[in-house]
């Protein structure tokens, strides 16, 4: 572990499929310990535990938890339930546009983006996307929402004010996480091509395409906007790479554990985080824009691969569930995964 003076006020939170929350704080020794754990029941209308992106709205003090057939909205400070957005089939990501009082949810099973009112949490509309609608990001420069559709290899672009679809971008591969720099560029991990692409959010044209080697199968993506650094984490091989967003140059890389699915960057502390299915959060520090160092690896729980960062409190939220043993191998599934136990969704805070 590097100097603990960098770790400041960071906490870590975890959600899990019985929906629960855990909180972690820095111990006197400089490491992190669990602060809080919240547990929630099976999603309304759900038959299995499915959970995906965590979106933290630090301004409004809300945490949006993707929980299969619902979005569970949690008070970021108290952990109490503010409300549920229900009637979904398989939701994934959430994005918000405060200036229009609207939120946006990708529903991959319906191939739609569901639009809701930020005050009431009531559904007020929808936009047609495509099957496997997954990651979603709001770009404040163009006032547009970009939904990444995995299987069709494209992105649906929506005007945030009207809710109308304004275009579709062919991406040439399967998109995963996306980030917007607020200046007119949206960056997207293309998992099956081992690339990051840069999209002009106004013209909807791809302007750059860069490899992420030595990482492969990039999923999680975060960004230091001020210094134009991208943090792309891949699964095969499992690595985190630091990329110069101006020219695509890989500046540095670090090995991480298996099954990464979320990344975050904390501007005030210069911390970079990557969470994995193995129940680990890998923490790095930006010593300078061209030099990064490993701080520590925090153990959470198996399956806690999704994560959200509260930039106000410096808390991290992660979620998982209880998992049963894997089923017996078959010809079709020679390496079966462990499956989540219904009704065991947990949110944790570190």
């Amino acid at each position: 572990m590097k100097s603990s003076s960098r770790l400041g006020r960071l906490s870590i939170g975890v959600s899990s499929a019985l929906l629960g929350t855990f909180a972690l704080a820095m111990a006197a020794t400089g490491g992190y310990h669990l602060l809080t754990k919240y547990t929630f029941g099976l999603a309304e209308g759900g038959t299995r535990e499915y959970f995906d992106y965590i979106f933290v709205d630090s301004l409004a003090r809300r945490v949006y938890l993707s929980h299969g057939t619902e979005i569970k909205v949690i008070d970021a400070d108290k952990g109490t339930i503010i409300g549920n957005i229900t009637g979904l089939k398989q939701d994934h990501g959430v994005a918000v546009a405060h200036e229009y009082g609207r939120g946006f949810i990708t529903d991959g099973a319906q191939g739609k983006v569901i639009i809701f009112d930020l005050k009431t949490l009531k559904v007020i509309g929808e936009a047609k996307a495509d099957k496997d609608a997954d990651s979603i990001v709001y770009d404040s420069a163009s006032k547009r929402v970009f939904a990444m559709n995995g299987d069709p290899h494209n992105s649906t672009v929506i005007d945030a004010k009207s809710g109308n679809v304004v275009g579709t971008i062919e991406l040439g591969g399967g998109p995963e996480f996306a980030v917007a720099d607020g200046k007119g560029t949206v960056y997207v991990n293309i998992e099956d091509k081992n690339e990051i692409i840069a999209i002009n959010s106004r013209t909807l044209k791809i302007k750059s395409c860069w490899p992420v080697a030595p990482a492969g199968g990039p999923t999680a993506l975060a960004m230091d906007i001020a210094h134009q650094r991208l943090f792309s984490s891949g699964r095969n091989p499992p690595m985190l790479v630091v990329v110069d967003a101006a020219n695509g140059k890989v500046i540095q890389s670090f090995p991480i554990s298996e099954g990464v699915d979320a990344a975050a960057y904390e501007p005030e502390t210069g911390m970079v985080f990557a969470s994995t299915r193995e129940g680990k959060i890998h923490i790095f520090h930006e010593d300078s824009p061209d030099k990064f160092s490993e701080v520590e690896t925090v153990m959470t729980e198996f399956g806690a691969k999704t994560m959200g960062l509260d930039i106000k409190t410096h808390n991290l939220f992660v979620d998982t569930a209880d998992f049963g043993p894997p089923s017996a191998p078959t010809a079709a599934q020679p390496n079966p995964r462990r499956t989540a136990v219904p009704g065991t969704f947990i949110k944790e805070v570190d």
Side-chain angles (χ1 to χ4, degrees):
M1 182 189 301
K2 305 298 181 182
S3 169
S4 62
S5 63
R6 302 173 180 161
L7 303 185
R9 295 162 286 171
L10 177 70
S11 306
I12 296 174
V14 179
S15 314
S16 116
L18 149 84
L19 191 52
T21 300
F22 299 86
L24 302 179
M26 187 174 66
T29 57
Y32 293 97
H33 65 276
L34 182 66
L35 288 178
T36 310
K37 177 177 180 178
Y38 305 105
T39 299
F40 307 92
L42 189 66
E44 181 180 325
T47 58
R48 65 188 181 103
E49 280 303 351
Y50 183 88
F51 47 98
D52 204 351
Y53 296 86
I54 301 174
F55 177 77
V56 181
D57 185 346
S58 297
L59 180 65
R61 311 307 305 138
R62 289 177 172 182
V63 182
Y64 294 86
L65 303 172
S66 172
H67 190 212
T69 58
E70 67 178 2
I71 296 291
K72 200 166 284 291
V73 188
I74 309 297
D75 185 298
D77 300 304
K78 301 175 183 177
T80 53
I81 298 175
I82 296 172
N84 289 342
I85 303 171
T86 59
L88 308 171
K89 288 192 175 180
Q90 186 163 308
D91 52 67
H92 295 278
V94 174
V96 301
H98 282 289
E99 57 262 62
Y100 303 119
R102 292 181 162 194
F104 303 83
I105 303 165
T106 48
D107 189 323
Q110 297 190 81
K112 297 178 180 179
V113 172
I114 308 301
I115 305 170
F116 67 95
D117 183 274
L118 292 180
K119 291 182 179 179
T120 65
L121 300 180
K122 300 296 185 183
V123 173
I124 57 174
E126 61 182 46
K128 186 180 185 304
D130 209 334
K131 59 184 179 181
D132 197 26
D134 193 355
S135 171
I136 189 168
V137 65
Y138 174 61
D139 171 56
S140 59
S142 63
K143 311 299 183 185
R144 291 168 170 174
V145 176
F146 291 73
M148 302 300 157
N149 307 311
D151 291 342
H153 296 180
N154 61 31
S155 174
T156 300
V157 186
I158 300 164
D159 178 84
K161 183 177 181 179
S162 68
N164 296 329
V165 174
V166 296
T168 300
I169 309 169
E170 297 300 326
L171 303 176
E176 276 285 342
F177 270 72
V179 295
D181 68 358
K183 300 174 183 178
T185 302
V186 173
Y187 300 91
V188 188
N189 273 336
I190 304 297
E191 185 177 17
D192 56 337
K193 299 293 186 179
N194 301 326
E195 296 171 342
I196 295 174
I197 61 172
I199 300 168
N200 184 311
S201 65
R202 295 183 177 91
T203 66
L204 306 186
K205 302 295 184 183
I206 295 174
K207 60 181 185 178
S208 301
C209 180
W210 305 310
V212 296
T219 54
L221 187 64
M223 186 175 189
D224 172 1
I225 293 174
H227 299 111
Q228 290 288 285
R229 295 294 181 261
L230 294 163
F231 309 104
S232 178
S233 297
R235 295 179 177 176
N236 185 28
M239 303 278 291
L240 179 144
V241 296
V242 182
V243 178
D244 188 327
N247 55 29
K249 177 184 176 182
V250 173
I251 295 169
Q252 208 167 344
S253 62
F254 299 91
I256 56 175
S257 52
E258 298 284 343
V260 65
D261 205 35
Y265 173 74
E266 167 48 60
E268 186 175 330
T269 62
M271 294 293 192
V272 182
F273 309 92
S275 57
T276 74
R277 183 179 174 86
E278 295 300 309
K280 296 178 181 180
I281 298 177
H282 300 270
I283 305 177
F284 307 91
H285 183 259
E286 187 177 48
D287 303 327
S288 76
D290 293 322
K291 185 180 184 300
F292 294 77
S293 58
E294 186 172 0
V295 176
E296 68 171 319
T297 298
V298 177
M299 294 299 300
T300 57
E301 292 189 9
F302 179 83
K305 59 189 177 73
T306 58
M307 175 178 61
L309 169 67
D310 182 355
I311 59 172
K312 179 179 178 180
T313 62
H314 309 279
N315 288 351
L316 287 169
F317 294 88
V318 297
D319 56 7
T320 188
D322 292 338
F323 281 79
S327 57
T330 65
Q333 292 287 342
N335 297 298
R337 288 184 174 183
R338 296 170 62 183
T339 57
V341 177
T344 63
F345 187 45
I346 302 167
K347 175 184 167 213
E348 302 179 346
V349 182
D350 291 357

